[in-house]
Amino acid sequence: QVQVVESGGGLVQAGESLRLSCAGSGIIFSINEMGWYRQAPGKQRELVASITSVGSTKYADSVKGRFTISRGNAKNTVYLQMNSLKPEDTAVYYCRLASMRDVYWGQGTQVTVSS
């Protein structure tokens, strides 16, 4: 059974940092791309950052220079280091793991940034 589990969300003040973690298990095919998406109330889900199996990264313009995505040493793990958080970063953050065949989503973790 496939599981994708995120952790690390919480309530912080503007300017503070959080580190999100994601671990996938039970996945048979190799994961080619891992990413973080977020969805704020009343808005569409959007890409925050992604990283491929060869280390290529992509970031939303709104988080460039503040967020860093990285792969963990364990298989199918990915992190999102979020610095200088802003109230507009408040959202549910989702982990997405993609193989050539399937896409897996986590259940989401809430990040709330107070001003």
Side-chain angles (χ1 to χ4, degrees):
Q1 183 179 355
V2 174
Q3 285 190 315
V4 179
V5 180
E6 304 107 331
S7 61
L11 171 63
V12 297
Q13 293 189 332
E16 295 184 339
S17 299
L18 279 175
R19 188 188 192 217
L20 304 183
S21 300
C22 172
S25 61
I27 298 172
I28 297 175
F29 295 97
S30 296
I31 295 298
N32 297 328
E33 183 179 82
M34 299 186 284
W36 290 95
Y37 288 69
R38 67 186 180 188
Q39 187 167 18
K43 295 188 176 182
Q44 289 188 330
R45 190 173 297 188
E46 63 175 0
L47 172 69
V48 176
S50 64
I51 186 167
T52 69
S53 57
V54 295
S56 296
T57 58
K58 184 187 302 182
Y59 293 93
D61 288 342
S62 59
V63 307
K64 283 180 181 176
R66 299 188 299 123
F67 291 11
T68 303
I69 189 170
S70 61
R71 292 178 298 176
N73 291 328
K75 189 177 180 181
N76 299 334
T77 59
V78 62
Y79 303 102
L80 185 67
Q81 178 66 42
M82 305 186 294
N83 298 330
S84 302
L85 282 161
K86 303 176 180 180
E88 50 264 43
D89 295 318
T90 295
V92 178
Y93 284 70
Y94 297 90
C95 177
R96 177 183 184 270
L97 306 180
S99 69
M100 290 187 67
R101 173 171 170 164
D102 298 299
V103 174
Y104 308 98
W105 290 91
Q107 80 288 350
T109 185
Q110 177 70 46
V111 172
T112 303
V113 185
S114 64
S115 57

